[in-house]
PDB file of all heavy atoms in Angstrom:
ATOM      1  N   ALA A   1    -125.431 168.848  23.814  1.00 95.00           N
ATOM      2  CA  ALA A   1    -126.593 168.939  24.700  1.00 95.00           C
ATOM      3  C   ALA A   1    -127.821 168.299  24.074  1.00 95.00           C
ATOM      4  O   ALA A   1    -128.601 167.622  24.762  1.00 95.00           O
ATOM      5  CB  ALA A   1    -126.854 170.403  25.071  1.00 95.00           C
ATOM      6  N   SER A   2    -127.998 168.467  22.785  1.00 95.00           N
ATOM      7  CA  SER A   2    -129.132 167.873  22.077  1.00 95.00           C
ATOM      8  C   SER A   2    -129.065 166.352  22.109  1.00 95.00           C
ATOM      9  O   SER A   2    -130.078 165.656  22.332  1.00 95.00           O
ATOM     10  CB  SER A   2    -129.182 168.374  20.639  1.00 95.00           C
ATOM     11  OG  SER A   2    -130.269 167.804  19.951  1.00 95.00           O
ATOM     12  N   LEU A   3    -127.877 165.787  21.904  1.00 96.00           N
ATOM     13  CA  LEU A   3    -127.716 164.342  21.961  1.00 96.00           C
ATOM     14  C   LEU A   3    -127.941 163.819  23.376  1.00 96.00           C
ATOM     15  O   LEU A   3    -128.584 162.782  23.581  1.00 96.00           O
ATOM     16  CB  LEU A   3    -126.331 163.931  21.452  1.00 96.00           C
ATOM     17  CG  LEU A   3    -126.086 162.423  21.361  1.00 96.00           C
ATOM     18  CD1 LEU A   3    -127.130 161.736  20.481  1.00 96.00           C
ATOM     19  CD2 LEU A   3    -124.708 162.154  20.812  1.00 96.00           C
ATOM     20  N   ILE A   4    -127.448 164.545  24.370  1.00 97.00           N
ATOM     21  CA  ILE A   4    -127.693 164.177  25.764  1.00 97.00           C
ATOM     22  C   ILE A   4    -129.192 164.140  26.044  1.00 97.00           C
ATOM     23  O   ILE A   4    -129.698 163.221  26.663  1.00 97.00           O
ATOM     24  CB  ILE A   4    -126.940 165.129  26.724  1.00 97.00           C
ATOM     25  CG1 ILE A   4    -125.426 164.921  26.606  1.00 97.00           C
ATOM     26  CG2 ILE A   4    -127.423 164.949  28.164  1.00 97.00           C
ATOM     27  CD1 ILE A   4    -124.587 166.031  27.200  1.00 97.00           C
ATOM     28  N   LYS A   5    -129.911 165.159  25.564  1.00 97.00           N
ATOM     29  CA  LYS A   5    -131.360 165.192  25.731  1.00 97.00           C
ATOM     30  C   LYS A   5    -132.019 163.974  25.098  1.00 97.00           C
ATOM     31  O   LYS A   5    -132.884 163.333  25.705  1.00 97.00           O
ATOM     32  CB  LYS A   5    -131.949 166.467  25.137  1.00 97.00           C
ATOM     33  CG  LYS A   5    -133.472 166.535  25.240  1.00 97.00           C
ATOM     34  CD  LYS A   5    -134.063 167.551  24.288  1.00 97.00           C
ATOM     35  CE  LYS A   5    -135.553 167.659  24.369  1.00 97.00           C
ATOM     36  NZ  LYS A   5    -136.319 166.433  24.332  1.00 97.00           N
ATOM     37  N   GLN A   6    -131.637 163.653  23.868  1.00 96.00           N
ATOM     38  CA  GLN A   6    -132.225 162.495  23.176  1.00 96.00           C
ATOM     39  C   GLN A   6    -132.027 161.205  23.985  1.00 96.00           C
ATOM     40  O   GLN A   6    -132.957 160.421  24.140  1.00 96.00           O
ATOM     41  CB  GLN A   6    -131.596 162.322  21.786  1.00 96.00           C
ATOM     42  CG  GLN A   6    -131.988 163.382  20.788  1.00 96.00           C
ATOM     43  CD  GLN A   6    -131.224 163.212  19.491  1.00 96.00           C
ATOM     44  OE1 GLN A   6    -130.866 162.105  19.093  1.00 96.00           O
ATOM     45  NE2 GLN A   6    -130.933 164.322  18.824  1.00 96.00           N
ATOM     46  N   ILE A   7    -130.810 161.003  24.477  1.00 97.00           N
ATOM     47  CA  ILE A   7    -130.529 159.792  25.249  1.00 97.00           C
ATOM     48  C   ILE A   7    -131.300 159.793  26.552  1.00 97.00           C
ATOM     49  O   ILE A   7    -131.909 158.776  26.926  1.00 97.00           O
ATOM     50  CB  ILE A   7    -129.008 159.643  25.485  1.00 97.00           C
ATOM     51  CG1 ILE A   7    -128.285 159.412  24.146  1.00 97.00           C
ATOM     52  CG2 ILE A   7    -128.724 158.505  26.465  1.00 97.00           C
ATOM     53  CD1 ILE A   7    -126.775 159.499  24.226  1.00 97.00           C
ATOM     54  N   CYS A   8    -131.291 160.918  27.257  1.00 97.00           N
ATOM     55  CA  CYS A   8    -132.025 160.999  28.525  1.00 97.00           C
ATOM     56  C   CYS A   8    -133.525 160.753  28.314  1.00 97.00           C
ATOM     57  O   CYS A   8    -134.154 160.019  29.080  1.00 97.00           O
ATOM     58  CB  CYS A   8    -131.815 162.357  29.196  1.00 97.00           C
ATOM     59  SG  CYS A   8    -130.205 162.527  30.000  1.00 97.00           S
ATOM     60  N   ASP A   9    -134.078 161.353  27.282  1.00 97.00           N
ATOM     61  CA  ASP A   9    -135.507 161.161  26.995  1.00 97.00           C
ATOM     62  C   ASP A   9    -135.796 159.690  26.687  1.00 97.00           C
ATOM     63  O   ASP A   9    -136.752 159.105  27.193  1.00 97.00           O
ATOM     64  CB  ASP A   9    -135.957 162.045  25.835  1.00 97.00           C
ATOM     65  CG  ASP A   9    -136.078 163.505  26.215  1.00 97.00           C
ATOM     66  OD1 ASP A   9    -135.994 163.844  27.418  1.00 97.00           O
ATOM     67  OD2 ASP A   9    -136.243 164.340  25.286  1.00 97.00           O
ATOM     68  N   ARG A  10    -134.980 159.084  25.857  1.00 96.00           N
ATOM     69  CA  ARG A  10    -135.176 157.681  25.478  1.00 96.00           C
ATOM     70  C   ARG A  10    -135.051 156.747  26.692  1.00 96.00           C
ATOM     71  O   ARG A  10    -135.839 155.820  26.862  1.00 96.00           O
ATOM     72  CB  ARG A  10    -134.169 157.273  24.405  1.00 96.00           C
ATOM     73  CG  ARG A  10    -134.385 155.839  23.887  1.00 96.00           C
ATOM     74  CD  ARG A  10    -133.284 155.372  22.970  1.00 96.00           C
ATOM     75  NE  ARG A  10    -132.068 155.169  23.729  1.00 96.00           N
ATOM     76  CZ  ARG A  10    -130.847 155.487  23.300  1.00 96.00           C
ATOM     77  NH1 ARG A  10    -130.653 156.021  22.113  1.00 96.00           N
ATOM     78  NH2 ARG A  10    -129.789 155.258  24.065  1.00 96.00           N
ATOM     79  N   GLU A  11    -134.073 157.021  27.544  1.00 96.00           N
ATOM     80  CA  GLU A  11    -133.797 156.156  28.699  1.00 96.00           C
ATOM     81  C   GLU A  11    -134.557 156.588  29.947  1.00 96.00           C
ATOM     82  O   GLU A  11    -134.408 155.961  31.004  1.00 96.00           O
ATOM     83  CB  GLU A  11    -132.289 156.147  28.991  1.00 96.00           C
ATOM     84  CG  GLU A  11    -131.431 155.626  27.847  1.00 96.00           C
ATOM     85  CD  GLU A  11    -131.664 154.163  27.538  1.00 96.00           C
ATOM     86  OE1 GLU A  11    -131.925 153.366  28.473  1.00 96.00           O
ATOM     87  OE2 GLU A  11    -131.602 153.811  26.330  1.00 96.00           O
ATOM     88  N   GLN A  12    -135.314 157.657  29.835  1.00 97.00           N
ATOM     89  CA  GLN A  12    -136.085 158.226  30.960  1.00 97.00           C
ATOM     90  C   GLN A  12    -135.159 158.565  32.138  1.00 97.00           C
ATOM     91  O   GLN A  12    -135.409 158.184  33.279  1.00 97.00           O
ATOM     92  CB  GLN A  12    -137.212 157.286  31.383  1.00 97.00           C
ATOM     93  CG  GLN A  12    -138.207 157.060  30.265  1.00 97.00           C
ATOM     94  CD  GLN A  12    -139.357 156.161  30.667  1.00 97.00           C
ATOM     95  OE1 GLN A  12    -139.207 155.270  31.502  1.00 97.00           O
ATOM     96  NE2 GLN A  12    -140.506 156.406  30.091  1.00 97.00           N
ATOM     97  N   LEU A  13    -134.123 159.308  31.813  1.00 97.00           N
ATOM     98  CA  LEU A  13    -133.143 159.750  32.801  1.00 97.00           C
ATOM     99  C   LEU A  13    -133.291 161.233  33.059  1.00 97.00           C
ATOM    100  O   LEU A  13    -133.606 161.996  32.145  1.00 97.00           O
ATOM    101  CB  LEU A  13    -131.715 159.466  32.301  1.00 97.00           C
ATOM    102  CG  LEU A  13    -131.375 158.009  32.026  1.00 97.00           C
ATOM    103  CD1 LEU A  13    -130.056 157.913  31.282  1.00 97.00           C
ATOM    104  CD2 LEU A  13    -131.342 157.219  33.324  1.00 97.00           C
ATOM    105  N   LEU A  14    -133.046 161.623  34.307  1.00 98.00           N
ATOM    106  CA  LEU A  14    -133.039 163.026  34.682  1.00 98.00           C
ATOM    107  C   LEU A  14    -131.636 163.424  35.104  1.00 98.00           C
ATOM    108  O   LEU A  14    -130.892 162.607  35.662  1.00 98.00           O
ATOM    109  CB  LEU A  14    -134.033 163.280  35.811  1.00 98.00           C
ATOM    110  CG  LEU A  14    -135.494 162.936  35.500  1.00 98.00           C
ATOM    111  CD1 LEU A  14    -136.346 163.099  36.742  1.00 98.00           C
ATOM    112  CD2 LEU A  14    -136.008 163.771  34.340  1.00 98.00           C
ATOM    113  N   LEU A  15    -131.297 164.681  34.891  1.00 98.00           N
ATOM    114  CA  LEU A  15    -129.943 165.173  35.069  1.00 98.00           C
ATOM    115  C   LEU A  15    -129.958 166.465  35.879  1.00 98.00           C
ATOM    116  O   LEU A  15    -130.872 167.289  35.711  1.00 98.00           O
ATOM    117  CB  LEU A  15    -129.357 165.441  33.673  1.00 98.00           C
ATOM    118  CG  LEU A  15    -127.996 166.057  33.550  1.00 98.00           C
ATOM    119  CD1 LEU A  15    -126.937 164.957  33.653  1.00 98.00           C
ATOM    120  CD2 LEU A  15    -127.862 166.744  32.209  1.00 98.00           C
ATOM    121  N   ALA A  16    -128.943 166.659  36.736  1.00 98.00           N
ATOM    122  CA  ALA A  16    -128.730 167.907  37.452  1.00 98.00           C
ATOM    123  C   ALA A  16    -127.240 168.206  37.489  1.00 98.00           C
ATOM    124  O   ALA A  16    -126.400 167.310  37.310  1.00 98.00           O
ATOM    125  CB  ALA A  16    -129.307 167.833  38.854  1.00 98.00           C
ATOM    126  N   VAL A  17    -126.905 169.461  37.748  1.00 98.00           N
ATOM    127  CA  VAL A  17    -125.536 169.922  37.664  1.00 98.00           C
ATOM    128  C   VAL A  17    -125.133 170.667  38.951  1.00 98.00           C
ATOM    129  O   VAL A  17    -125.929 171.456  39.467  1.00 98.00           O
ATOM    130  CB  VAL A  17    -125.369 170.885  36.455  1.00 98.00           C
ATOM    131  CG1 VAL A  17    -123.997 171.501  36.428  1.00 98.00           C
ATOM    132  CG2 VAL A  17    -125.673 170.163  35.162  1.00 98.00           C
ATOM    133  N   ALA A  18    -123.914 170.398  39.430  1.00 98.00           N
ATOM    134  CA  ALA A  18    -123.328 171.157  40.525  1.00 98.00           C
ATOM    135  C   ALA A  18    -122.070 171.840  39.979  1.00 98.00           C
ATOM    136  O   ALA A  18    -121.165 171.163  39.521  1.00 98.00           O
ATOM    137  CB  ALA A  18    -122.977 170.249  41.689  1.00 98.00           C
ATOM    138  N   GLU A  19    -122.060 173.153  40.023  1.00 97.00           N
ATOM    139  CA  GLU A  19    -120.936 173.888  39.460  1.00 97.00           C
ATOM    140  C   GLU A  19    -120.268 174.747  40.512  1.00 97.00           C
ATOM    141  O   GLU A  19    -120.920 175.312  41.377  1.00 97.00           O
ATOM    142  CB  GLU A  19    -121.403 174.782  38.323  1.00 97.00           C
ATOM    143  CG  GLU A  19    -121.949 174.030  37.138  1.00 97.00           C
ATOM    144  CD  GLU A  19    -122.345 174.927  36.012  1.00 97.00           C
ATOM    145  OE1 GLU A  19    -121.456 175.324  35.226  1.00 97.00           O
ATOM    146  OE2 GLU A  19    -123.542 175.257  35.922  1.00 97.00           O
ATOM    147  N   SER A  20    -118.971 174.863  40.372  1.00 97.00           N
ATOM    148  CA  SER A  20    -118.211 175.836  41.139  1.00 97.00           C
ATOM    149  C   SER A  20    -117.471 176.709  40.138  1.00 97.00           C
ATOM    150  O   SER A  20    -117.978 177.756  39.754  1.00 97.00           O
ATOM    151  CB  SER A  20    -117.240 175.126  42.093  1.00 97.00           C
ATOM    152  OG  SER A  20    -116.584 176.072  42.895  1.00 97.00           O
ATOM    153  N   VAL A  21    -116.374 176.229  39.601  1.00 95.00           N
ATOM    154  CA  VAL A  21    -115.558 177.025  38.693  1.00 95.00           C
ATOM    155  C   VAL A  21    -116.282 177.418  37.404  1.00 95.00           C
ATOM    156  O   VAL A  21    -116.024 178.480  36.847  1.00 95.00           O
ATOM    157  CB  VAL A  21    -114.230 176.309  38.370  1.00 95.00           C
ATOM    158  CG1 VAL A  21    -114.466 175.052  37.523  1.00 95.00           C
ATOM    159  CG2 VAL A  21    -113.239 177.237  37.684  1.00 95.00           C
ATOM    160  N   SER A  22    -117.207 176.627  36.930  1.00 95.00           N
ATOM    161  CA  SER A  22    -117.894 176.953  35.676  1.00 95.00           C
ATOM    162  C   SER A  22    -119.121 177.841  35.914  1.00 95.00           C
ATOM    163  O   SER A  22    -119.799 178.216  34.960  1.00 95.00           O
ATOM    164  CB  SER A  22    -118.268 175.687  34.903  1.00 95.00           C
ATOM    165  OG  SER A  22    -118.964 174.767  35.720  1.00 95.00           O
ATOM    166  N   VAL A  23    -119.391 178.191  37.136  1.00 95.00           N
ATOM    167  CA  VAL A  23    -120.365 179.200  37.593  1.00 95.00           C
ATOM    168  C   VAL A  23    -121.642 179.344  36.775  1.00 95.00           C
ATOM    169  O   VAL A  23    -122.074 180.442  36.455  1.00 95.00           O
ATOM    170  CB  VAL A  23    -119.703 180.591  37.781  1.00 95.00           C
ATOM    171  CG1 VAL A  23    -118.688 180.565  38.898  1.00 95.00           C
ATOM    172  CG2 VAL A  23    -119.088 181.087  36.495  1.00 95.00           C
ATOM    173  N   GLY A  24    -122.263 178.233  36.438  1.00 95.00           N
ATOM    174  CA  GLY A  24    -123.549 178.284  35.737  1.00 95.00           C
ATOM    175  C   GLY A  24    -123.469 178.123  34.236  1.00 95.00           C
ATOM    176  O   GLY A  24    -124.506 177.966  33.576  1.00 95.00           O
ATOM    177  N   HIS A  25    -122.282 178.130  33.680  1.00 96.00           N
ATOM    178  CA  HIS A  25    -122.155 177.997  32.223  1.00 96.00           C
ATOM    179  C   HIS A  25    -122.652 176.627  31.736  1.00 96.00           C
ATOM    180  O   HIS A  25    -123.283 176.543  30.679  1.00 96.00           O
ATOM    181  CB  HIS A  25    -120.716 178.219  31.765  1.00 96.00           C
ATOM    182  CG  HIS A  25    -120.254 179.632  31.893  1.00 96.00           C
ATOM    183  ND1 HIS A  25    -120.678 180.649  31.058  1.00 96.00           N
ATOM    184  CD2 HIS A  25    -119.397 180.211  32.764  1.00 96.00           C
ATOM    185  CE1 HIS A  25    -120.115 181.782  31.408  1.00 96.00           C
ATOM    186  NE2 HIS A  25    -119.331 181.552  32.455  1.00 96.00           N
ATOM    187  N   LEU A  26    -122.383 175.575  32.492  1.00 97.00           N
ATOM    188  CA  LEU A  26    -122.839 174.239  32.112  1.00 97.00           C
ATOM    189  C   LEU A  26    -124.366 174.166  32.167  1.00 97.00           C
ATOM    190  O   LEU A  26    -125.003 173.634  31.255  1.00 97.00           O
ATOM    191  CB  LEU A  26    -122.200 173.179  33.002  1.00 97.00           C
ATOM    192  CG  LEU A  26    -122.525 171.720  32.704  1.00 97.00           C
ATOM    193  CD1 LEU A  26    -122.271 171.368  31.244  1.00 97.00           C
ATOM    194  CD2 LEU A  26    -121.696 170.822  33.624  1.00 97.00           C
ATOM    195  N   GLN A  27    -124.952 174.727  33.214  1.00 97.00           N
ATOM    196  CA  GLN A  27    -126.413 174.776  33.312  1.00 97.00           C
ATOM    197  C   GLN A  27    -127.001 175.531  32.130  1.00 97.00           C
ATOM    198  O   GLN A  27    -128.015 175.131  31.555  1.00 97.00           O
ATOM    199  CB  GLN A  27    -126.844 175.437  34.610  1.00 97.00           C
ATOM    200  CG  GLN A  27    -126.461 174.641  35.850  1.00 97.00           C
ATOM    201  CD  GLN A  27    -126.736 175.412  37.100  1.00 97.00           C
ATOM    202  OE1 GLN A  27    -127.884 175.628  37.430  1.00 97.00           O
ATOM    203  NE2 GLN A  27    -125.685 175.823  37.804  1.00 97.00           N
ATOM    204  N   SER A  28    -126.365 176.615  31.762  1.00 96.00           N
ATOM    205  CA  SER A  28    -126.840 177.431  30.648  1.00 96.00           C
ATOM    206  C   SER A  28    -126.809 176.652  29.334  1.00 96.00           C
ATOM    207  O   SER A  28    -127.755 176.734  28.532  1.00 96.00           O
ATOM    208  CB  SER A  28    -125.986 178.704  30.531  1.00 96.00           C
ATOM    209  OG  SER A  28    -126.421 179.497  29.472  1.00 96.00           O
ATOM    210  N   LEU A  29    -125.749 175.890  29.105  1.00 96.00           N
ATOM    211  CA  LEU A  29    -125.655 175.088  27.883  1.00 96.00           C
ATOM    212  C   LEU A  29    -126.760 174.031  27.813  1.00 96.00           C
ATOM    213  O   LEU A  29    -127.376 173.838  26.769  1.00 96.00           O
ATOM    214  CB  LEU A  29    -124.288 174.409  27.804  1.00 96.00           C
ATOM    215  CG  LEU A  29    -123.092 175.325  27.561  1.00 96.00           C
ATOM    216  CD1 LEU A  29    -121.783 174.562  27.761  1.00 96.00           C
ATOM    217  CD2 LEU A  29    -123.147 175.944  26.174  1.00 96.00           C
ATOM    218  N   LEU A  30    -127.018 173.374  28.937  1.00 97.00           N
ATOM    219  CA  LEU A  30    -128.076 172.367  28.955  1.00 97.00           C
ATOM    220  C   LEU A  30    -129.457 172.994  28.797  1.00 97.00           C
ATOM    221  O   LEU A  30    -130.304 172.496  28.055  1.00 97.00           O
ATOM    222  CB  LEU A  30    -127.992 171.556  30.246  1.00 97.00           C
ATOM    223  CG  LEU A  30    -126.803 170.605  30.331  1.00 97.00           C
ATOM    224  CD1 LEU A  30    -126.590 170.130  31.760  1.00 97.00           C
ATOM    225  CD2 LEU A  30    -126.956 169.437  29.379  1.00 97.00           C
ATOM    226  N   ALA A  31    -129.673 174.108  29.480  1.00 96.00           N
ATOM    227  CA  ALA A  31    -130.975 174.780  29.435  1.00 96.00           C
ATOM    228  C   ALA A  31    -131.264 175.402  28.063  1.00 96.00           C
ATOM    229  O   ALA A  31    -132.433 175.629  27.729  1.00 96.00           O
ATOM    230  CB  ALA A  31    -131.067 175.827  30.528  1.00 96.00           C
ATOM    231  N   ALA A  32    -130.244 175.659  27.286  1.00 94.00           N
ATOM    232  CA  ALA A  32    -130.421 176.225  25.933  1.00 94.00           C
ATOM    233  C   ALA A  32    -130.972 175.209  24.942  1.00 94.00           C
ATOM    234  O   ALA A  32    -131.403 175.562  23.854  1.00 94.00           O
ATOM    235  CB  ALA A  32    -129.119 176.802  25.427  1.00 94.00           C
ATOM    236  N   THR A  33    -130.969 173.944  25.314  1.00 94.00           N
ATOM    237  CA  THR A  33    -131.459 172.886  24.444  1.00 94.00           C
ATOM    238  C   THR A  33    -132.978 172.945  24.375  1.00 94.00           C
ATOM    239  O   THR A  33    -133.642 172.946  25.405  1.00 94.00           O
ATOM    240  CB  THR A  33    -131.042 171.508  25.011  1.00 94.00           C
ATOM    241  OG1 THR A  33    -129.644 171.503  25.215  1.00 94.00           O
ATOM    242  CG2 THR A  33    -131.417 170.383  24.068  1.00 94.00           C
ATOM    243  N   PRO A  34    -133.558 172.989  23.169  1.00 95.00           N
ATOM    244  CA  PRO A  34    -135.027 172.987  23.071  1.00 95.00           C
ATOM    245  C   PRO A  34    -135.622 171.761  23.795  1.00 95.00           C
ATOM    246  O   PRO A  34    -135.130 170.642  23.611  1.00 95.00           O
ATOM    247  CB  PRO A  34    -135.289 172.927  21.563  1.00 95.00           C
ATOM    248  CG  PRO A  34    -134.049 173.531  20.965  1.00 95.00           C
ATOM    249  CD  PRO A  34    -132.929 173.113  21.854  1.00 95.00           C
ATOM    250  N   GLY A  35    -136.591 171.990  24.631  1.00 96.00           N
ATOM    251  CA  GLY A  35    -137.234 170.907  25.381  1.00 96.00           C
ATOM    252  C   GLY A  35    -136.420 170.429  26.564  1.00 96.00           C
ATOM    253  O   GLY A  35    -136.644 169.319  27.068  1.00 96.00           O
ATOM    254  N   ALA A  36    -135.505 171.236  27.058  1.00 97.00           N
ATOM    255  CA  ALA A  36    -134.599 170.843  28.144  1.00 97.00           C
ATOM    256  C   ALA A  36    -135.330 170.372  29.388  1.00 97.00           C
ATOM    257  O   ALA A  36    -134.814 169.536  30.127  1.00 97.00           O
ATOM    258  CB  ALA A  36    -133.641 171.979  28.498  1.00 97.00           C
ATOM    259  N   SER A  37    -136.515 170.872  29.616  1.00 97.00           N
ATOM    260  CA  SER A  37    -137.233 170.517  30.852  1.00 97.00           C
ATOM    261  C   SER A  37    -137.619 169.051  30.911  1.00 97.00           C
ATOM    262  O   SER A  37    -137.972 168.551  31.978  1.00 97.00           O
ATOM    263  CB  SER A  37    -138.474 171.392  31.026  1.00 97.00           C
ATOM    264  OG  SER A  37    -139.384 171.157  29.980  1.00 97.00           O
ATOM    265  N   THR A  38    -137.516 168.332  29.797  1.00 98.00           N
ATOM    266  CA  THR A  38    -137.835 166.895  29.837  1.00 98.00           C
ATOM    267  C   THR A  38    -136.750 166.066  30.501  1.00 98.00           C
ATOM    268  O   THR A  38    -137.005 164.954  30.932  1.00 98.00           O
ATOM    269  CB  THR A  38    -138.062 166.332  28.409  1.00 98.00           C
ATOM    270  OG1 THR A  38    -136.850 166.432  27.658  1.00 98.00           O
ATOM    271  CG2 THR A  38    -139.216 167.047  27.708  1.00 98.00           C
TER     272      THR A  38
END
């Protein structure tokens, strides 16, 4: 998640998640990254 954040920040990319079977776990992993709101 930290590496994804670095790449997204550098490339000015925004990310969103649609979950069914993983019921929010993926969102939780991304949101746990310091500075995730960027």
